Amino acid sequence: MVLERVGERLRMVEPPVLAAAPGQLLVRVLACGVCRTDLHLVDGEVKIPELPRVLGHQIVGEAPDGRLVGIPWLAWTCGECEYCTTGRENLCPLARFTGRDVDGGFAEWTVADERFCFPIPEGYPALQAAPLLCAGLIGHRAFRMCGVAQRIGLFGFGAAGHVLCQVARHEGREIHAFTRPGDEAAQAFALGLGATSAAGSDEAGPASLDAAIIFAPDGALVPVALRAVVPGGTVVCGGIHMSDIPSFPYADLWQERMLRSVANLTRADAEEFLALAPQVPVTTHVRRYPLEAANDALDDLRAGRFTGAAVVVPDHS
Ligand SMILES: [Zn+2]
Ligand SMILES: [Zn+2]
């Protein structure tokens, strides 16, 4: 399923026969998670250097030796720059990303640099493992930036929120979910996963959270979240794109509140999170779509028509 032009639907094409170069794995795709970033790519809010492109960066597939491997957003880094050599390869200016700079997983087959592929933890079928690869591990990177915060607000309770809620509960922390106003299904879903409270983002109160993570792409939530955290609290923006942040009084940032973004992932993040997930254990709630219905999955994500994560599955028969 190929994006040929920004703003258009993905189109099913007969793919070229892929071959792995030295250092690459030819992977038979079994499942690929759908991420909000895919919407930003389709909409042109995140630029794609070269089209056409196969999107999809939460890939679980079978390597030639039969192993189940995961292929995340980070596809390649230079290994030599000041970021790569200081444990921050997520910020490498030459980094390539799966489903943006190289073809991704909305396909039957894909190739990937084997240094950026990860073994899928035992006990996770492909369908359930797919959302761990972005929602899970970039979500977890955002979660770690909250430090020792005990009361954590999640603004937007989708694929990342539903994974993080389980990790946070496992660590004995409180999750307070804020959804689109009136989204009772998402609020019930959050409570069912152990959230301490769930409400619309219009109901966020003043200064009682130790930290907040904003997964929804709505910049207007930034001042809302800042007002909801205590002095010294952190607000983490977990998405790759947000609408503009409205101006807000300095008093909302004052008292050593911190505002930061989280970008991409390092391979160490992937190793850490994929080791942690089975210990919790994280259970993902997925809605399955056949590969040819990838556009429906994107539409449903945009409209908020499901709880949990969407995953597309190719039919290899
Ligand atoms: Zn993603
Ligand atoms: Zn680099």
Side-chain angles (χ1 to χ4, degrees):
M1 292 294 285
V2 167
L3 180 68
E4 294 180 322
R5 271 173 293 274
V6 164
E8 291 189 358
R9 317 276 292 167
L10 307 185
R11 204 164 72 81
M12 168 104 32
V13 300
E14 195 58 42
V17 174
L18 297 177
Q24 288 185 323
L25 292 178
L26 175 62
V27 173
R28 185 171 172 264
V29 178
L30 299 176
C32 184
V34 180
C35 176
R36 184 159 292 279
T37 295
D38 297 316
L39 290 180
H40 296 314
L41 291 164
V42 169
D43 294 345
E45 290 159 340
V46 175
K47 296 280 174 271
I48 302 176
E50 207 177 310
L51 290 168
R53 181 60 68 217
V54 179
L55 309 187
H57 58 267
Q58 306 187 77
I59 307 167
V60 181
E62 195 183 336
D65 62 4
R67 278 180 308 142
L68 209 56
V69 295
I71 304 170
W73 173 241
L74 190 71
W76 184 89
T77 55
C78 81
E80 294 171 359
C81 70
E82 63 177 298
Y83 296 105
C84 282
T85 53
T86 54
R88 297 177 293 161
E89 64 181 352
N90 59 309
L91 301 177
C92 174
L94 299 175
R96 293 179 202 147
F97 298 102
T98 309
R100 190 195 81 164
D101 305 286
V102 300
D103 282 336
F106 294 165
E108 292 176 331
W109 294 84
T110 195
V111 291
D113 186 321
E114 61 185 332
R115 297 169 303 165
F116 294 82
C117 296
F118 300 89
I120 294 298
E122 277 196 34
Y124 281 91
L127 187 69
Q128 267 68 40
L132 300 179
L133 289 158
C134 184
L137 61 90
I138 297 183
H140 188 247
R141 185 176 173 86
F143 176 60
R144 279 206 337 248
M145 288 174 179
C146 297
V148 296
Q150 181 63 26
R151 293 164 58 83
I152 300 173
L154 299 183
F155 288 80
F157 197 89
H162 100 286
V163 172
L164 260 194
C165 186
Q166 298 173 56
V167 176
R169 295 299 303 131
H170 175 69
E171 296 187 359
R173 313 209 216 183
E174 282 180 23
I175 288 293
H176 298 266
F178 297 98
T179 68
R180 296 184 208 211
D183 190 346
E184 287 170 18
Q187 290 164 21
F189 183 54
L191 293 172
L193 288 170
T196 303
S197 75
S201 58
D202 54 338
E203 298 173 67
S208 66
L209 302 169
D210 299 314
I213 307 173
I214 306 176
F215 288 118
D218 179 5
L221 291 172
V222 169
V224 173
L226 276 171
R227 284 193 290 272
V229 299
V230 297
T234 301
V235 174
V236 181
C237 299
I240 192 170
H241 172 83
M242 251 191 176
S243 56
D244 286 352
I245 300 169
S247 88
F248 55 88
Y250 177 61
D252 291 347
L253 186 63
W254 170 240
Q255 298 285 16
E256 302 197 344
R257 291 180 176 87
M258 285 169 280
L259 174 63
R260 69 175 300 172
S261 63
V262 61
N264 314 316
L265 70 138
T266 66
R267 281 172 281 181
D269 292 330
E271 281 157 14
E272 180 184 313
F273 179 71
L274 291 174
L276 173 64
Q279 289 171 29
V280 172
V282 172
T283 305
T284 57
H285 297 250
V286 302
R287 179 168 294 189
R288 172 193 176 126
Y289 295 81
L291 174 60
E292 57 271 25
N295 287 306
D296 297 335
L298 291 168
D299 289 346
D300 290 351
L301 174 61
R302 191 187 296 282
R305 285 192 200 108
F306 57 82
T307 51
V311 177
V312 299
V313 176
D315 175 5
H316 285 277
S317 63

